[in-house]
Amino acid sequence: MNQPIPTPAPHSGGLATSPGAPADAAGTSAAGTVDRTAVRERAEAVLRELAGPSARLRDDQWLAIEALVVDRRRALVVQRTGWGKSAVYFISTALLRARGSGPTVIVSPLLALMRNQVESAARAGIHARTINSANPEEWETIQAEVSAGTVDILLVSPERLNNPDFRDHVLPKLAASTGLLVVDEAHCISDWGHDFRPDYRRLRTMLAELSPGVPVLATTATANARVTDDVAEQLGTAGADGRALVLRGPLDRESLTLAVLPLPDPAHRLAWLADHLDELPGSGIIYTLTVAAAEEVSEFLQSRGYSVASYSGRTEDAERRTAEADLLANRVKALVATSALGMGFDKPDLGFVVHLGSPGSPIAYYQQVGRAGRGVDRAEVLLLPGREDEAIWRYFASLGFPPEEQVRRTLEALTQADRPLSTAALETHVDIRRARLETMLKVLDVDGAVRRVRGGWLATGEPWVYDGPRYAKVARARADEQQAMREYATGQLCRMEFLRRQLDDDLAAPCGRCDVCSGARHSAVVSTEALEAARAALGRPGVSFEPRRLWPTGMDTLGVALKGKIPADEQAQTGRALGRLSDIGWGGRLRTILAENAPDAPVPTDVLDALVTVLADWARGPGGWASGEPDTARPVGVVAMASAARPQLVASLAGRIAEIGRLPMLGRVEYRHGERPTGARSNSAQRLKSLSGALVVPTGLAAALTELQGPVLLVDDLVDSGWTVTVAARLLRQAGAQVVLPLALAVQA
């Protein structure tokens, strides 16, 4: 994608025009004046091709189209889901292309949304193409089509805007030839929005490089007054009055019936779904807060005979396409999804949305429930909140913008480097986890302090100010949103009115439909059979986790002589744990035991019994020492990990495993000279640095390993980054252990 895109040829395909009219298909007369009535008539004709012969433009739809096509203004449209925002830019595209304008460029955040847009455009004879991470093999072909003028709409993901090749070679030419720029889900531009994405801020560059008079449309269904003002300001000035046009409508959705159903625990929530999912109208979406929960719930419902599929950021693109198609065609009762299936997914007859856990923002919640009831008279929306929701909110809150000292250290490292530094290389300079570091770099890029290039990142040398007060206000805004979700779940105000007030809808009023207005709609009763099945499913212990196979890059700069692939004879085997902290089954129990403020105590009996079951399943499974397969051997002993935070817990866990398994307790991997590694939540490079040289295999343990010559169980409480297990396994292998089998209570992911 590094060839320039010339100005495309005038549009020659797509929608038919009306021969013999006094003005052309776009409403321009021979004298060059614009007949607004003719433009509206043509807009209405395009709408009928999109939505059917009875479709008529809403007043605000026409105002937006008029502003874009006739007045060439910049406009922000804030309207509820299903109002018809996409019709505005499809119709505007058709009219502008009829005048010979270049293609419409739509910046769109999600693959599901892009696919919907391409299909919708085709129904009106509009040729749309998309450039995103899932179709790199098509980029050159699409670029050629744009150059030839045969593409009416080009959809790009916001991440493309900061890809070095795209940004430097494609974006400038695209900006010069664009006939209309559309920013879909525009709340992502604002760091006050519930789904702020730094890549969206790159639009500032494209806005500045647009040719004079190119109209811009920003759309969203989820923007309160603060976000609306922020986005409108970022759109810049346009039009005779020097301001962007803002069209904001009421956000009520008369088809939605909202309800909250508190249930005692995850097992009751799963049992409720098993008993009542068929009672919900049509097909729909069950949202979960984590990937692990989506997979757990999907597996359970499938075991109960439901046709459902999981959908998350971990789902392969081909599987996503299949799942989307199955939901659209009503071949599944539901997709069990994370927010990866969110903005813009268009299924007009979606009959229900159930949330298994509360999102951290009422605005995000409104957006997700807005997927339902767009083309039906009634859709059910149900929230099943859980006690574990708060822990998940805290985790996402921890990913906020780092403290100034860490940011300054990053800028200093980039300034002093004689070449671009990759994210992995930067981890050797700053103690910030990968996901948080990448987000921080994107913000700095937008602010002009750094620049992404081939090979990594460079400091620009431009002055930069750490806006601490603003970051603190954003953090407080997030906390306020979480409090609002608590109030939504427990309050007595009309559910729809509450959500509309959160979005600063001045016309918010009681809806008369929700469970607050008209009484409870759903029974909390679950059958004994479903509850027992749910408890069995959630109580089924055991997850596997892979050890590290590669050392982090650049460790030599930290004085650690480790690089490349970890030798096979120094690696641990695939390990086992009772569960993930993010699980809705054992996760809740494990979060309680392993919380930072939890007292250190011997392992609880129920947890020990479950881990023994994990160990037994491991032994009997493929490659297990009780499987009878060649080259497998029974462990010869148990080794404990040293623990600074929970020494009683780990010692009792290892001791009881040894006792129950009738294995010798061989000893413990110790801290050298009382050292304690730091940075349990650091990035890989910093965590490995803190561990390197801090752990040691005592002489007695080394002697036992040499004498017994066999696999050993390495027992720990929590596997977070995975580096503690990796370093300890390397030391044990070097001391004589033939195989190291990691066993833990929990894994973080």
Side-chain angles (χ1 to χ4, degrees), residues 7-8 48 127 141 174 206 284 320 365 413 478 573 622 697 703 724 749:
T7 301
R48 289 192 290 275
H127 184 207
T141 301
L174 194 59
M206 190 169 182
R320 286 195 190 197
Y365 182 65
R478 296 289 180 266
Q573 299 296 104
V697 175
T724 301

Side-chain angles (χ1 to χ4, degrees), residues 1-5 131 139 156-176 199 201-206 209 420 441-442 444-446 448 450-458 460:
M1 289 297 295
N2 56 7
Q3 301 175 15
I5 297 181
I131 292 176
W139 291 355
V156 298
S157 62
E159 290 74 22
R160 287 296 96 204
L161 300 178
N162 203 31
N163 173 276
D165 282 345
F166 189 90
R167 180 197 64 212
D168 295 337
H169 300 290
V170 177
L171 191 59
K173 296 295 184 182
L174 194 59
D199 288 309
R201 285 285 181 89
R202 181 56 51 192
L203 286 164
R204 289 177 179 173
T205 302
M206 190 169 182
E209 294 176 351
L441 288 167
K442 290 177 180 179
L444 292 175
D445 189 356
V446 169
V450 305
R451 181 174 174 81
R452 187 182 175 196
V453 297
R454 279 183 175 271
W457 300 87
L458 291 173
T460 64

Side-chain angles (χ1 to χ4, degrees), residues 207-221:
L207 286 167
E209 294 176 351
L210 288 174
S211 299
V214 172
V216 178
L217 172 67
T219 68
T220 180

